[in-house]
């Protein structure tokens, strides 16, 4: 499977290493033999779709017709799941399986309209879709945990140390580091096996059979063209470090970001998340949120009212395009929290937080009034967290491209909040920005739904500050 993010991969051609797109195109143009693990993974995916589909079709068709129809429906559903895996890889197996199941379900529903003999029925089709989703999600989780993709890094300069730290920092990523190919020590490569020099690249690729080859800089890319093209039938994929980090790890490496990266969002083939679709999503989710939490709000108001000060806390934040707006929250701090007149980042275990406020922060219930900000069009459900104007000047000076996050409306929740929590200094703000920029380019309805779902799980199983 390619590490490229499907449709979004076309938008990255301008930023990859000069020879990398050529290598990718040539590698994909030559049929690659699958190893035994690849066949097992593919067979498992097909089988877990085929079984519930056959159970769905068998009662209404003769055995031979049922087998034929099952083959067609399974093929359609397998394609849908494959597209979802390449497009939404970063979001995890559950989201990939849900998106692929929906794609397949839509295609099969259309097929049902054209082929009158199928007569699938809404209830039985829904049952099959639920079964396909559950089995596929479980299988993809097993595949990511056991059959990890083997990664070979070529070069010790450029971004080598960054990708090596990502792959060896102990996180549960679906990748296995095979080792490093290169000369000298260049960069922080401690703890990573050195497999050989550049001259031995062909032998190393042949013997270790990597799934992904990462080229660390332009010079390495130019040198590696010939040996890697000769080995293209082996079936590996070639990417640059920035592209790998962005697609596989869900963030944008700021250290190597250029203005050309932002131009990809204006690419002719880019399918933007339109304002109309985004606004409709916000209105629906915010309205449902207010409706579901309406019985709880009076209780929260009474609890906050037990402490001195106003119930609703208003604070100026920076929104889309740098425009200021007033964010609404249930007050969680003492009224004199910033009497000194010097704004402070909120810290873990902040002594300014009241006892009631600590409970609200753990459950994130203090942010419920921001649903009104969403209805007013000042915020979105999903997006970068809005920053205070007092901190903006500092962040603009210390974090490159920080103001680019203002290209979209700020959100109540977001990709960065899920991945690294609150920012308390310039370094943590830069880390959050790397995730915000990933969302900026990859946002769509599926991504927003996935972030909302993961936020709901976070509220249930993880506490705030």
């Amino acid at each position: 499977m390619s590490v490229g993010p499907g449709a979004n991969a076309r938008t990255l051609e301008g930023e990859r290493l000069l020879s990398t797109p050529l290598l990718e195109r040539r590698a994909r143009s030559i049929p690659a033999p699958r190893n035994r693990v690849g066949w097992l993974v593919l067979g498992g995916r097909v089988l877990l779709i085929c079984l519930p589909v056959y159970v769905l079709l068998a009662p209404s068709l003769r055995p031979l017709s049922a087998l034929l129809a099952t083959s067609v429906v399974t093929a359609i559903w397998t394609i849908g799941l494959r597209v979802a895996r390449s497009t939404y890889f970063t979001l995890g197996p559950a989201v990939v399986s849900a998106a692929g199941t929906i794609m397949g379900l839509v295609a099969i529903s259309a097929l049902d309209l054209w082929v009158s003999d199928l007569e699938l029925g809404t209830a039985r089709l829904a049952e099959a879709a639920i079964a396909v989703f559950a089995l596929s999600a479980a299988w993809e989780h097993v595949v990511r945990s056991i059959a990890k993709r083997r990664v070979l890094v070529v070069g010790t300069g450029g971004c080598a140390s960054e990708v090596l730290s990502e792959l060896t920092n102990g996180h549960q990523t679906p990748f296995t580091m095979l080792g490093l190919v290169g000369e000298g020590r260049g960069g922080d490569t401690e703890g990573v096996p050195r497999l050989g020099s550049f001259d031995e690249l062909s032998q190393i690729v042949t013997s270790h059979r990597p799934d992904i080859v990462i080229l660390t800089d332009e010079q390495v890319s130019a040198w590696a063209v010939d040996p890697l093209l000769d080995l293209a039938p082996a079936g590996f994929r070639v990417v640059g470090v920035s592209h790998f980090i962005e697609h596989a790890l869900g963030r944008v490496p700021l250290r190597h970001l250029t203005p050309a990266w932002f131009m990809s969002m204006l690419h002719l083939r880019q399918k933007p998340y339109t304002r109309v679709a985004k606004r409709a999503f916000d209105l629906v989710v915010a309205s449902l949120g207010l409706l579901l939490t309406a019985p709880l709000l009076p209780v929260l108001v009474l609890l906050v009212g037990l402490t001195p000060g106003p119930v609703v806390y208003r604070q100026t934040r920076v929104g889309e395009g740098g425009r200021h707006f007033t964010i609404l929250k249930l007050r969680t701090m003492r009224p004199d929290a910033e009497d000194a007149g010097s704004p402070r980042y909120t810290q873990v275990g902040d002594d300014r937080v009241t006892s009631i406020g600590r409970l609200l922060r753990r459950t994130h219930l203090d942010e419920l009034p921001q649903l009104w900000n969403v209805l007013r069009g000042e915020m979105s459900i999903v997006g970068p967290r809005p920053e205070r104007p007092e901190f903006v000047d500092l962040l603009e000076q210390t974090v490159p491209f920080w103001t680019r996050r203002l290209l979209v409306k700020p959100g109540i929740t977001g990709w960065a909040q899920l991945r690294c929590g609150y920012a308390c200094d310039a370094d943590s703000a830069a880390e959050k920005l790397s995730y915000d920029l990933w969302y900026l380019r990859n946002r769509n309805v599926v991504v927003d739904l996935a972030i909302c779902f993961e936020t709901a799980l976070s509220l249930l199983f993880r506490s705030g500050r």
Side-chain angles (χ1 to χ4, degrees), residues 365-383:
L365 292 174
D366 59 317
E367 297 178 1
L368 282 179
Q370 291 169 37
L371 293 172
W372 181 247
N373 288 115
V374 174
L375 292 178
R376 291 170 56 178
E378 298 164 334
M379 293 181 65
S380 180
I381 294 295
V382 179

Side-chain angles (χ1 to χ4, degrees), residues 340-401:
S342 55
R344 292 166 50 189
Y345 280 111
T346 304
Q347 304 289 335
V348 176
D350 202 311
D351 59 4
R352 299 173 296 168
V353 179
T354 65
S355 57
I356 299 298
R358 196 165 289 111
L359 172 64
L360 294 178
R361 282 177 174 267
R362 287 198 187 102
T363 57
H364 297 277
L365 292 174
D366 59 317
E367 297 178 1
L368 282 179
Q370 291 169 37
L371 293 172
W372 181 247
N373 288 115
V374 174
L375 292 178
R376 291 170 56 178
E378 298 164 334
M379 293 181 65
S380 180
I381 294 295
V382 179
R385 281 299 291 172
E387 191 54 83
R388 298 178 64 179
E390 294 87 350
F391 298 131
V392 169
D393 290 340
L394 171 64
L395 292 172
E396 287 179 341
Q397 296 172 12
T398 57
V399 182
F401 303 106

Side-chain angles (χ1 to χ4, degrees), residues 255-266:
R255 192 157 56 93
H256 309 283
L257 197 62
T258 65
W261 182 90
F262 295 94
M263 295 305 295
S264 66
M265 290 184 291
L266 304 176

Side-chain angles (χ1 to χ4, degrees), residues 205-259:
V205 171
T206 301
S207 60
H208 289 273
R209 297 184 60 83
D211 299 304
I212 302 168
V213 176
I214 301 176
L215 305 181
T216 58
D217 57 41
E218 181 179 333
Q219 183 177 359
V220 168
S221 178
W223 175 87
V225 170
D226 289 336
L228 290 180
L229 285 179
D230 291 338
L231 296 168
F236 56 84
R237 296 293 182 259
V238 181
V239 293
V241 171
S242 296
H243 181 208
F244 175 79
I245 292 176
E246 182 175 348
H247 172 67
L249 305 175
R251 68 180 184 84
V252 177
L254 298 182
R255 192 157 56 93
H256 309 283
L257 197 62
T258 65

Side-chain angles (χ1 to χ4, degrees), residues 155 233 304 408 463:
V304 176
V408 295
S463 62

Side-chain angles (χ1 to χ4, degrees), residues 7 15 45 55 60 86 96 105 112 123 147 151 162 192 203 234 247 288 307 310 363 407 415 427 429 431:
E15 65 165 324
R45 286 168 179 159
V55 172
S60 59
S86 62
V96 166
L105 186 60
D112 188 29
V151 176
E162 188 165 357
V192 179
Q203 295 89 334
H247 172 67
L288 286 175
T307 61
T363 57
L407 290 171
W415 186 242
D427 290 339
E431 183 183 7

Side-chain angles (χ1 to χ4, degrees), residues 13-147:
E13 291 177 357
E15 65 165 324
R16 296 185 197 176
L17 302 176
L18 290 179
S19 301
T20 301
L22 173 62
L23 290 171
E24 271 199 342
R25 288 195 295 271
R26 285 289 300 275
R28 289 175 179 170
S29 66
I30 303 175
R34 291 180 176 271
N35 55 28
R36 293 177 182 177
V37 175
W39 278 113
L40 177 63
V41 170
L42 178 62
R45 286 168 179 159
V46 172
L47 181 62
L48 294 178
I49 297 172
C50 183
L51 290 176
V53 170
Y54 183 77
V55 172
L56 168 69
L57 297 174
S60 59
L61 297 173
R62 289 176 295 181
L64 184 59
S65 299
L67 287 174
L68 179 61
T70 297
S71 300
V72 174
V73 172
T74 299
I76 294 173
W77 229 322
T78 302
I79 292 171
L81 286 167
R82 180 179 177 83
V83 172
R85 282 195 304 274
S86 62
T87 307
Y88 303 111
F89 175 84
T90 306
L91 300 176
V95 174
V96 166
S97 299
T101 300
I102 292 172
M103 291 179 190
L105 186 60
V106 170
I108 293 164
S109 299
L111 181 66
D112 188 29
L113 294 176
W114 284 94
V115 183
S116 58
D117 292 341
L118 285 180
E119 297 180 356
L120 299 178
T122 304
R124 288 163 55 204
L125 192 55
E127 291 173 1
I130 293 171
V132 169
F133 163 72
L135 293 173
S136 297
W139 181 249
E140 293 302 322
H141 179 75
V142 170
V143 169
R144 291 194 184 205
S145 302
I146 300 176

